[in-house]
Structure formats: structure tokens, C-alpha cells
Amino acid sequence: MAAAARRILIIDDDRRVLQVFERVLERAGFDCVTASDPAKVLELLHTEPDIGVVLTDLQMPGIDGVQLMRQIRERFVSRPWLQLVVVTGNATLESAIDSLRLEATEYLQKPLAAADLVQVATRATTRAETLRLLNPKTGAAASVGDLKAVASLAGQIAGEMHGSEGAVPALGAANAEQLLRLIWQIQAVRREVFPEDRLPTASWEMLSELMSLELAGRRTSVGGLCLAASCPVTTALRRIEELVEMGLIAKEQDPADARRQHVRLTASGRTKMEQFLTRVANELGSA
Amino acid sequence: MIDSELVAEARQLLHDVNASLQLITGNLELLSMSDPQNEEQREMIASALEGAGDAVRYVRELQQKLRGQ
């Protein structure tokens, strides 16, 4: 599954742009499928069930990218792990909100630097891979190889944070029960590092988003962080204040825009996230 | 206030310029990653990427201004 999850479908009506994206991603080891005709996308996804990520343009003849993503979500309900990434030449607030409602994980503006494209693809395929494995239907059929892939993934994340290659021992015999046990272990680690009564789900989602952005060398604003939490904006804002009080995150004024505040993990917040990820990598490795 | 049709046309044009910039920067980056070039070629690619980067900033600025229309 590890190889399959690195399969990306790229949609753009401009064949030359398709070729550039395909070349950049294939150099980075991704397996790409391309479509310049959005009308053929649903059929392609039907015949290529291994695709984990759909990277799409928005303005295309015949169908709008948002409509296309809606059709994908409706038609492929059984593939909740499918990651949608938008790359558009005309970013608007409306299309960004529509994309987020359809659970697009990234919304980016062209032109996109090669390094950014690879980072986005890596994050999206990682999410697809993990979600696919943890999905009740596919998870039940998870193989030893699948679990090794997750262990290796967690090890890579931990290694990346410590500036070294993460070596995680191979897993032994694995089945669905073992997978569930691993999930419980992960939850136990989370409760230990971040006691449940002090850390509601929305806060956890925002901390994870900040860690993910930090690893990708990106940052976000208060508004952007609110979107990462699956709760109303007012609740998210309250959670942000709580996290600031707990010393896990800090807000900073954007020098270029007085209306915007950036949010980042504090040293303490980052240390706790590192502890969490390292512990998860160890739990997976020793399972 | 600018004519709304003109704004829509300008937005479409900027969308197309961004696609062109994607081709330029993407291919230049691929070129810089491929066969080793001599110093002069590397400088030319870097300079072209710098120019494209300036163009990207100008387009973003224009798009930002048009969002207010």
C-alpha cells in the first residue's frame, strides 16, 4: 500500500502545466496519472482505485474544479481517505471556502515552486496512506506491510524532527486486532502527554496543524488555524486563547498586515508534540 | 470603481498569466535540477527565476487590488 498511496491524479486543462507537475512529482518518486479533460476524471478514479491524492485546477472548461471535487466526494464516499488538493491561478475567498467545505486539504496559488509542490504531495499522500489504513473497511484487511508502512512513517517524522534518520524496528505478525491496539496506544500516549481534560479535540487538531505546518516550514494566521479545527470559529478562538494560556502556542502580529496575527508553537508546545510523535513511533515500532 | 466586466476580464487574464508563470518557473526549476550546467548557465537560470519571481509578486499585487473591486 505504501507505493499505491503515493499515486497522484493531476488535473489541469493546460497540458503543459500537467507535464511540469508530473515531471516534478515523478522526480520526487511519486507515481502520477494525469487528466487534461475533467470529464474523464470520475472514470479514471473508478478504474484506478490506488489513487490517494487528487491535485486539481479550478478554472477548467466544461466543469469547475469545485463542482468536480463535489462529484468526486459524492461518487467515492467509500474512499474517505482521498485527499483533494487545489492549485489555482485565481485564488478567491469563495472558492477557498468551497474547497475547504469539500475537505480539500490544501488550497494553493499558481505558480507553485517545485519544492512546495513536493512538500504538499508528501503531506497529502501521507494523510491518504494513514487514513486508508485506519479506515474500518480497509483497516480490517491491513497487512503486515501496511503496519510497517505506518511505523516507518512515524519513524520518519520523529527522525525529521531530531535531524536524523528514524530507524523503527520492523513489526511482527499483525492483524486488525493489533491495529486497534496500536490506535489505543496512540490515544493513551496523547492522554499522557496532553491530559484529556485540558486538551479538547479542537485544540489537539490545531496543535497537530501547527506541527505539520512547522515541519513544512510554513506558518498560519489565527483565521487559518480556526479552519483546521472541526468546531465553530468562536469555539476555535476560545481554544486558541486556552492554548496560549497553557504556553503551548503564541500569537504574533504580522508586521506587513496590522489586521493579521500569526500563530506558532512555542518551544514547550513543540517539545510536547515531539514527545508525542516520538512516543507514537516507539509504540508502533515495539508492537 | 472600475467597470465590473473589466475587472472580470482582468482576473481571467491574471489567471492565465499565473499559468504561464507556472510553466516558466516550473521548467526553469526542472532545468536547474537536471544535467549539471556550467557557471554561466546556472547564473542565467537563477536570473531568469529571479525575474519570474518578480513577475509573480506583481501579479499577486494586482490580484490583491482587484479583490477590493
Side-chain angles (χ1 to χ4, degrees):
Chain A
M1 193 201 73
R6 285 179 76 80
R7 196 140 212 235
I8 299 178
L9 170 60
I10 315 168
I11 310 159
D12 200 304
D13 58 309
D14 189 329
R15 288 175 189 275
R16 299 166 304 172
V17 171
L18 271 186
Q19 198 179 46
V20 167
F21 285 167
E22 185 182 20
R23 281 182 173 156
V24 168
L25 291 175
E26 289 198 337
R27 269 174 176 271
F30 293 95
D31 180 13
C32 299
V33 181
T34 59
S36 59
D37 181 0
K40 291 182 180 160
V41 165
L42 296 181
E43 187 53 34
L44 244 173
L45 280 170
H46 181 69
T47 54
E48 306 265 358
D50 287 344
I51 290 169
V53 175
V54 176
L55 191 144
T56 184
D57 188 14
L58 282 187
Q59 268 179 253
M60 293 179 285
I63 188 167
D64 174 64
V66 171
Q67 282 174 282
L68 180 63
M69 287 193 292
R70 190 167 292 123
Q71 287 182 4
I72 291 173
R73 286 294 185 215
E74 284 169 4
R75 173 92 173 262
F76 298 98
V77 176
S78 61
R79 296 188 204 171
W81 60 81
L82 211 51
Q83 300 293 297
L84 305 177
V85 174
V86 173
V87 183
T88 178
N90 184 22
T92 65
L93 186 61
E94 295 77 21
S95 63
I97 290 171
D98 284 341
S99 303
L100 289 167
R101 282 193 179 130
L102 290 164
E103 295 176 1
T105 45
E106 309 265 0
Y107 182 92
L108 307 153
Q109 166 115 357
K110 284 180 196 164
L112 194 57
D116 292 339
L117 180 61
V118 170
Q119 274 186 356
V120 164
T122 304
R123 274 201 301 275
T125 50
T126 299
R127 282 193 189 121
E129 188 176 359
T130 309
L131 289 174
R132 185 172 175 157
L133 182 58
L134 297 181
N135 184 270
K137 286 180 186 164
T138 53
S143 65
V144 176
D146 291 335
L147 291 171
K148 277 181 182 169
V150 171
S152 150
L153 181 68
Q156 279 169 22
I157 293 169
E160 200 175 316
M161 289 185 312
H162 293 292
S164 61
E165 286 295 315
V168 176
L171 291 176
N175 53 30
E177 275 182 32
Q178 189 178 12
L179 179 60
L180 277 172
R181 195 160 54 78
L182 289 172
I183 294 168
W184 292 331
Q185 282 171 339
I186 292 170
Q187 288 170 342
V189 172
R190 178 183 143 185
R191 279 196 298 273
E192 198 179 308
V193 179
F194 300 96
E196 195 84 282
D197 57 335
R198 294 182 64 205
L199 197 73
T201 302
S203 309
W204 169 250
E205 288 166 345
M206 290 192 282
L207 281 177
S208 304
E209 176 71 5
L210 283 174
M211 189 66 196
S212 164
L213 287 170
E214 195 158 310
L215 286 171
R218 293 168 60 201
R219 58 183 185 173
T220 189
S221 62
V222 169
L225 190 59
C226 285
L227 289 172
S230 55
C231 65
V233 173
T234 46
T235 310
L237 288 170
R238 208 166 53 243
R239 298 291 175 238
I240 288 176
E241 290 309 318
E242 287 168 3
L243 289 170
V244 170
E245 280 172 27
M246 289 160 71
L248 295 175
I249 67 171
K251 291 192 284 185
E252 286 165 350
Q253 193 67 48
D254 181 348
D257 184 349
R259 294 164 302 180
R260 190 186 357 218
Q261 281 189 305
H262 288 298
V263 193
R264 61 169 175 78
L265 285 173
T266 59
S268 159
R270 186 179 166 114
T271 302
K272 285 208 161 206
M273 287 304 287
E274 284 180 0
Q275 279 173 0
F276 170 76
L277 288 171
T278 309
R279 285 281 308 276
V280 167
N282 291 339
E283 293 285 347
L284 286 170
S286 61
Chain B
M1 179 70 78
I2 310 172
D3 179 69
S4 62
E5 272 183 35
L6 198 62
V7 170
E9 232 173 275
R11 281 188 184 139
Q12 182 56 47
L13 271 174
L14 290 174
H15 166 268
D16 296 344
V17 172
N18 273 333
S20 301
L21 285 169
Q22 181 69 70
L23 287 179
I24 296 166
T25 57
N27 279 308
L28 281 170
E29 284 189 287
L30 281 165
L31 198 58
S32 68
M33 287 180 233
S34 56
D35 297 333
Q37 304 96 21
N38 62 41
E39 190 56 36
E40 190 183 18
Q41 286 170 327
R42 273 197 294 272
E43 270 178 27
M44 283 156 73
I45 292 172
S47 171
L49 274 170
E50 209 178 296
D54 290 342
V56 171
R57 275 194 299 281
Y58 303 145
V59 170
R60 295 260 156 96
E61 208 173 302
L62 268 174
Q63 284 185 312
Q64 193 74 38
K65 286 184 195 297
L66 285 174
R67 272 186 204 120
Q69 297 298 321

